[in-house]
Amino acid sequence: AGEAVYLRGNFDSATAFWRAGLREARQSGDSALQARLLTWLGLAAYRQGKYPEAHRNGEAALALKLKLGLRTEVSKSYNALGLLAWNEGKLPQAIQLFQAASKTARDAADQSALAKAANNLALVHTELGQFAEARTGFRAALESGHKLSDRRIEGGALTNLAMLDIQTGNPVDAIASLEEARGLYRSIGYETGEQNSLGQLGTAYQALGEPRLALAALDTALQVARREGLRQEEASDLELIAEIYRDAGDPQRALELYRQAQPLNAELGLEVDRGTDLRNQAEIQASLGRAILARQLAIQARAIHRSARARLQELRDNLLLADLAARSGAHAEVGSVLRRADHLAAELDARTARLETALTTARIADGEKDSRAVLRVLKSARVDLAQGGYGTEWQAAMLKARAYARLGALQLALSSGREAVAAVERVRANFGSGFLRTSYVADKSAPYSDLVETLLRMGRTEEAFEVADALRARALVEHLATTEEDHGPTSTTLQSLAQGETLLRQIELLVSREDALEETPPAERSAGAADQIRFLAEEINRTRSAYEALAVDLAERDAVGSALLGARRASAVQVRMALHPGEALLEYLVTPARVVLFVVTRDAVHQFATPIAIAKLESRVRVARELVARSPQGAPPELSALDSLYDILVRPAVGSGVLQGIDRLTLVTHSFLSYLPFAALRNSATHHYVVEDYALNQLPSAAVLPVLRGGGSDSRGTSHGSIMAAIFAPFPKALPASAREASSVRRATGQAELYLGGRATEKWVRSALATPSIVHVATHGTMNPRNPMFSRIALAPGGAGLSEDDGWLEVHEVLGLHIRSPLVFLSGCQTGAGAAWAGGFGRGEDYATLAQAFLYAGAKSVVATLWRIEDEGAAVFADRFYRLLEQMGGPDALASAQREMLHDPAYQAPYFWAAYQIAGNDDRGPQSHISALDSVSLR
């Protein structure tokens, strides 16, 4: 009876049953039964967070079993005590206990206990960032559970494998494992397990950038938790759902969910969680500009945490209050709150507490332009900073660089700025160690912008350009861990980059574990805490050394691959020498107060700066794009927004004369400028669109240009043979004009093989991409801004049920292909530049990510679109582009097609032609290699 209610999560009722059983066992002198019941009571206490009681019962059970020689029962006690040690952060002790559980289970031939020990040991490996060992353990548990027909073990192992997949960036495989685990749990009525799987499923969908599916899974988990009376799980689900709404830009819904979780936490006595929910609400209210309400909520959170003696949480409440006071100009309050934070940090005597306090204090001083205070605070924290994660390193170095720059110590600012950039390139999107999750965290581009400004002040323009370029093309690299396991890339560069991303994740997990241990003041730590901290510090140093050695090695090989994926720099001289006569490269860096334009010609690097607030520039880009991307009806669109952006982004270079004699521009943009149709910017003096004066080419970074044009042994883009084409239209009924577009392409290219409907499978597209032929696919495309590795194009599914023919050609799959031809054409993409456009800008270089994938796989150039094109217009544009491509290179053919369209009364509106962009390296002049075109057109 106790086991039945325990498995449903009713630990109080289970405890009552087992205590009654224990009394009877003692009265009857049944020591073996006493040992079993003490084991279960220990587990129940563990589940309820009653660790001293769990220890007493677990150790008493183990002593009885050893005394009685209960060989088949001893392993269960080692497992139970190991779980307790694991939950308390005593990882070396947990490893020893799980290893003892494995040995005793093996000696007793107890396969069930052996499977549980393997699973539990794998949990520790996961926490240590030892993902390969963790996967081996979970798979061993899965195999044993299957052989034993034990669906709880099997379901648990599948859920843990899914958790590992999510952590290592492979959420697609996680979803399959979780659905299988849910089926197993349902078959035995184990709803607690199903609830856990649903929670993980929500996390997987969120990682995939599918908030709708994530919410559906978590909503179901919430229903199960409520039905089964799992109150703590209910509160946790509400908080997870709140985070999704917060990330999705719906703060009001997030606030409501946090409010729902509060009474549950109060009912369960989870006062710390209740206070944390209030602090989360305070952060949201602050982001909405409701400073007074934010302050009230933060004060409530602080009162709860103070009453609960949760001193670290109280410290974080004070840091948020200090930040809020600084924003409102309440300097006296800032001082008093920071003094309280300093006092708490001293009480805690933990590196985490000291670092968070120091960094917040330094950031506030930075906001007040008090440079000497910034340097003083950071100097006092130098020992703790030296032991921190990469996230703390870059923020501290950035703050020092700003302080030195304001003081005019430019050489010191330069040194600290370089240190900040080096650290941010290691940590990138992660802020490290669980630090600084509140609204005052700086954007990762800030150290680059600061360093550029310092170099420009020193007159070192070429170096400033090189630093600005290093910020580009990071989207794919940040998601390369998703190419592990079943999606493993054949490229050594991809394997190295994926391994590097995995090592970064391991470093952050290890530092987080070290921080969690150090949050307990030294006087209150357990006897083995110091050994555990030393053990973790050794693992951190070992893993960091492995990562940095890998980074050095990668920079020395595969110039093309590492440049295309943003992992390699190029000097300004190399970029200048790679430019053709009549060509210039324009690269933009958007800073908080101005936009910096670098113009690179064969002779020099020039820089221009236009003062404009970043929010104002973003607003203008949004307005201009929305005007142009709207299908024209009646009057032509108002063009003043295009004129204004021309004045900011192009006129400084044109007016200076540095573009004299230039007829092709290669553009390097990032953030929201990636969504801007540069071809449609208009010179109000001449009434010319940019595309009327220049052919445009896009690159993910300037560093790509020298390696694409470097020649040597790289054969990407090489082509030969007769003109051929393979044209695909998988959904002619849903997209009627796609068939007409396919016919237009067929007429323009000459001989072609046409694949319509069910014949247009992923398998045949893959085959065509590997040949020197035009491949034109008129279909839907889906951008995934949260995880660009799973952006995809839709094709007809094959009949074999294979992942390589499932109808979804995803970016991580493209990276493993060998594309032989020089052009990939992404036309009419349904989501255009991706879901990032629908919300805020800058969530990922959406367009560049797809372009990079096809360029990396061997395509010489890529054409993509910024919004969905009307079907008839897409067909007309494709016909003109391919006809012109027979006489000229890709950028010139694209520009000529756009000029033809804008002079055609039926298609003169920028909506019909300005969405098209070309990226890569297509040689100028008449094209003898039209035979090797590879075009994928997305709708």
Side-chain angles (χ1 to χ4, degrees):
E3 289 181 27
V5 294
Y6 175 88
L7 294 177
R8 291 201 299 270
N10 195 334
F11 306 124
D12 286 332
S13 296
T15 299
F17 277 117
W18 291 329
R19 282 178 177 164
L22 184 61
R23 285 194 299 271
E24 294 188 20
R26 283 173 173 163
Q27 289 171 5
S28 65
D30 190 336
S31 299
L33 183 55
Q34 287 180 53
R36 287 183 59 200
L37 287 161
L38 284 166
T39 302
W40 279 113
L41 283 165
L43 284 168
Y46 156 73
R47 292 289 188 185
Q48 293 174 298
K50 301 173 181 177
Y51 297 142
E53 183 181 337
H55 273 294
R56 285 195 303 272
N57 288 329
E59 288 165 0
L62 178 60
L64 267 176
K65 291 174 182 179
L66 291 172
K67 179 181 178 181
L68 298 170
L70 301 176
R71 294 175 60 240
T72 59
E73 291 286 333
V74 171
S75 179
K76 294 175 184 176
S77 284
Y78 282 131
N79 262 325
L81 289 168
L83 285 171
L84 186 58
W86 169 62
N87 208 64
E88 291 179 310
K90 301 173 182 177
L91 302 189
Q93 184 180 339
I95 290 172
Q96 292 174 358
L97 287 163
F98 290 140
Q99 287 173 341
S102 294
K103 183 179 184 304
T104 53
R106 193 176 295 110
D107 292 344
D110 187 342
Q111 295 303 312
S112 176
L114 188 61
K116 290 173 183 176
N119 181 81
N120 294 338
L121 186 57
L123 288 171
V124 182
H125 286 310
T126 302
E127 195 140 1
L128 289 172
Q130 297 166 349
F131 301 134
E133 294 91 335
R135 192 172 299 280
T136 299
F138 291 140
R139 283 178 171 165
L142 177 63
E143 184 178 346
S144 295
H146 185 68
K147 287 179 180 177
L148 295 166
S149 297
D150 189 322
R151 296 183 179 184
R152 275 192 62 212
I153 291 177
E154 201 173 349
L158 282 166
T159 301
N160 287 334
L161 278 168
M163 173 268 296
L164 183 60
D165 280 332
I166 294 166
Q167 285 198 24
T168 55
N170 189 9
V172 167
D173 282 359
I175 290 169
S177 297
L178 289 166
E179 291 293 1
E180 187 177 351
R182 287 183 64 199
L184 290 167
Y185 287 143
R186 279 197 300 270
S187 70
I188 58 174
Y190 185 31
E191 291 205 338
T192 302
E194 186 177 0
Q195 195 276 339
N196 184 32
S197 293
L198 283 164
Q200 292 285 356
L201 191 61
T203 306
Y205 280 126
Q206 177 69 349
L208 274 171
E210 298 278 7
R212 180 179 58 82
L213 296 174
L215 288 169
L218 287 169
D219 185 62
T220 306
L222 182 61
Q223 293 177 37
V224 173
R226 284 172 171 166
R227 184 170 64 245
E228 291 297 305
L230 304 172
R231 308 295 278 168
Q232 186 168 351
E233 285 77 3
E234 180 182 353
S236 177
D237 289 336
L238 286 167
E239 289 158 354
L240 286 170
I241 295 170
E243 288 180 22
I244 293 177
Y245 277 111
R246 182 176 177 174
D247 288 346
D250 190 348
Q252 299 300 341
R253 179 62 175 150
L255 287 169
E256 175 57 32
L257 290 160
Y258 281 128
R259 292 188 192 110
Q260 290 180 35
Q262 277 185 267
L264 289 168
N265 286 324
E267 174 191 329
L268 295 166
L270 303 174
E271 287 296 284
V272 174
D273 290 347
R274 188 163 73 93
T276 303
D277 283 349
L278 283 167
R279 189 171 65 232
N280 289 334
Q281 293 177 60
E283 291 169 6
I284 294 174
Q285 297 291 4
S287 72
L288 294 172
R290 301 167 183 167
I292 295 175
L293 180 55
R295 182 175 179 275
Q296 291 171 348
L297 291 167
I299 289 172
Q300 290 179 46
R302 182 176 64 181
I304 290 170
H305 287 143
R306 183 176 293 170
S307 176
R309 293 191 54 77
R311 287 174 292 178
L312 182 63
Q313 298 303 324
E314 183 188 347
L315 169 71
R316 289 170 175 157
D317 300 330
N318 278 302
L319 295 180
L320 175 58
L321 282 164
D323 181 65
L324 292 170
R327 292 188 215 174
S328 63
H331 302 298
E333 184 181 347
V334 171
S336 65
V337 175
L338 285 179
R339 281 192 293 274
R340 173 59 182 165
D342 284 333
H343 177 71
L344 284 167
E347 268 190 5
L348 287 163
D349 194 20
R351 183 176 56 87
T352 304
R354 292 191 299 269
L355 266 183
E356 292 193 36
T357 303
L359 286 172
T360 300
T361 305
R363 259 193 311 276
I364 290 173
D366 177 64
E368 295 173 348
K369 304 292 191 293
D370 188 345
S371 301
R372 298 192 185 282
V374 171
L375 296 172
R376 185 170 59 252
V377 170
L378 294 176
K379 182 179 180 181
S380 69
R382 63 185 181 278
V383 175
D384 290 324
L385 284 167
Q387 301 173 38
Y390 288 133
T392 55
E393 288 177 23
W394 76 260
Q395 292 179 70
M398 178 186 70
L399 290 167
K400 279 197 298 182
R402 287 179 178 175
Y404 285 132
R406 279 194 297 267
L407 292 169
L410 295 185
Q411 196 60 46
L412 290 172
L414 178 62
S415 176
S416 294
R418 284 176 171 159
E419 181 184 342
V421 165
V424 83
E425 286 186 351
R426 293 190 290 265
V427 70
R428 287 189 297 277
N430 303 313
F431 290 113
S433 316
F435 282 116
L436 316 168
R437 295 174 59 238
T438 53
S439 56
Y440 48 69
V441 172
D443 180 77
K444 64 177 178 177
S445 66
Y448 293 87
S449 300
D450 292 347
L451 182 55
V452 167
E453 297 286 4
T454 299
L455 287 164
L456 290 177
R457 284 178 64 184
M458 298 174 76
R460 297 161 75 161
T461 304
E462 290 201 348
E463 288 181 65
F465 162 71
E466 292 165 4
V467 171
D469 190 60
L471 183 57
R472 308 295 184 263
R474 305 305 303 183
L476 281 186
V477 175
E478 290 175 7
H479 294 273
L480 274 173
T482 58
T483 61
E484 293 180 314
E485 296 296 326
D486 297 333
H487 306 304
T490 55
S491 158
T492 303
T493 299
L494 277 178
Q495 291 173 345
S496 296
L497 287 169
Q499 185 182 350
E501 294 302 301
T502 300
L503 288 170
L504 280 175
R505 293 168 194 258
Q506 291 178 11
I507 292 167
E508 295 309 316
L509 282 171
L510 290 165
V511 174
S512 296
R513 169 50 56 187
E514 185 182 35
D515 291 342
L517 286 173
E518 290 188 336
E519 287 174 3
T520 304
E524 300 175 19
R525 291 175 190 167
S526 62
D531 290 337
Q532 295 165 45
I533 291 171
R534 279 194 295 273
F535 170 73
L536 288 168
E538 290 170 2
E539 286 293 303
I540 291 167
N541 289 333
R542 182 186 63 78
T543 311
R544 284 177 61 143
S545 297
Y547 171 77
E548 289 166 3
L550 183 70
V552 170
D553 177 64
L554 177 62
E556 296 175 352
R557 53 183 171 81
D558 192 4
V560 176
S562 56
L564 281 168
L565 293 168
R568 182 184 180 89
R569 292 193 184 189
S571 70
V573 172
Q574 290 173 316
V575 175
R576 287 197 291 109
M577 294 300 99
L579 290 167
H580 293 309
E583 181 181 23
L585 182 143
L586 274 59
E587 179 154 337
Y588 295 88
L589 177 67
V590 180
T591 73
R594 63 180 188 160
V595 58
V596 179
L597 165 61
F598 293 97
V599 179
V600 186
T601 64
R602 288 181 65 85
D603 300 321
V605 178
H606 312 269
Q607 70 90 15
F608 307 89
T610 303
I612 184 169
I614 188 170
K616 190 173 183 179
L617 180 60
E618 179 178 338
S619 175
R620 292 190 185 187
V621 170
R622 181 177 292 281
V623 169
R625 187 187 183 281
E626 288 176 351
L627 285 172
V628 174
R630 189 181 304 147
S631 182
Q633 297 187 9
E638 171 59 48
L639 299 177
S640 59
L642 301 176
D643 296 346
S644 171
L645 286 168
Y646 180 94
D647 291 341
I648 295 168
L649 300 172
V650 182
R651 188 178 296 281
V654 173
S656 71
V658 299
L659 297 183
Q660 192 72 33
I662 299 295
D663 60 10
R664 179 188 285 188
L665 301 178
T666 292
L667 303 175
V668 179
T669 61
H670 79 123
S671 187
F672 52 83
L673 291 184
S674 297
Y675 304 92
L676 180 64
F678 272 80
L681 301 187
R682 199 178 70 142
N683 186 334
S684 59
T686 64
H687 300 292
H688 278 196
Y689 291 106
V690 166
V691 75
E692 294 183 84
D693 296 327
Y694 307 98
L696 303 178
N697 184 39
Q698 302 269 341
L699 283 180
S701 72
V704 175
L705 190 65
V707 293
L708 285 180
R709 295 181 177 174
S713 60
D714 179 38
S715 61
R716 71 183 64 235
T718 301
S719 58
H720 55 81
S722 59
I723 297 175
M724 298 176 292
I727 306 168
F728 295 82
F731 309 114
K733 291 183 179 178
L735 299 170
S738 66
R740 293 193 292 276
E741 180 177 340
S743 298
S744 296
V745 175
R746 189 179 192 181
R747 285 194 303 273
T749 56
Q751 60 175 329
E753 183 73 26
L754 190 60
Y755 298 84
L756 293 177
R759 293 189 65 217
T761 64
E762 181 182 348
K763 175 184 175 182
W764 284 111
V765 169
R766 286 169 173 263
S767 297
L769 289 172
T771 66
S773 63
I774 296 171
V775 180
H776 191 101
V777 184
T779 187
H780 296 294
T782 301
M783 283 297 309
N784 187 329
R786 187 176 181 87
N787 196 335
M789 297 297 285
F790 293 94
S791 297
R792 64 201 185 194
I793 61 174
L795 301 161
L802 302 174
S803 61
E804 61 268 25
D805 198 20
D806 60 4
W808 297 114
L809 182 57
E810 297 175 319
V811 166
H812 66 84
E813 295 176 306
V814 173
L815 289 169
L817 299 177
H818 177 61
I819 298 175
R820 292 179 57 194
S821 50
L823 182 67
V824 175
F825 198 126
L826 311 174
S827 168
C829 182
Q830 189 172 27
T831 54
W837 180 262
F841 293 119
R843 291 193 62 188
E845 296 177 21
D846 298 333
Y847 156 73
T849 299
L850 274 172
Q852 281 175 269
F854 283 96
L855 287 170
Y856 183 88
K860 196 173 185 182
S861 293
V862 180
V863 175
T865 59
L866 293 175
W867 56 80
R868 184 178 182 180
I869 305 301
E870 180 267 335
D871 288 346
E872 292 295 341
V876 172
F877 189 90
D879 178 78
R880 292 178 175 179
F881 172 74
Y882 286 118
R883 175 171 44 80
L884 291 161
L885 195 61
E886 293 184 279
Q887 289 83 42
M888 59 188 70
D892 297 304
L894 191 78
S896 296
Q898 290 174 315
R899 291 164 191 163
E900 284 190 13
M901 296 284 280
L902 69 89
H903 290 115
D904 184 334
Y907 300 108
Q908 64 183 359
Y911 164 79
F912 292 105
W913 51 265
Y916 295 94
Q917 295 184 332
I918 190 166
N921 174 37
D922 198 1
D923 292 333
R924 309 188 64 173
Q927 300 299 294
S928 61
H929 55 258
I930 180 69
S931 56
L933 296 179
D934 181 0
S935 167
V936 179
S937 170
L938 304 190
R939 201 175 250 67

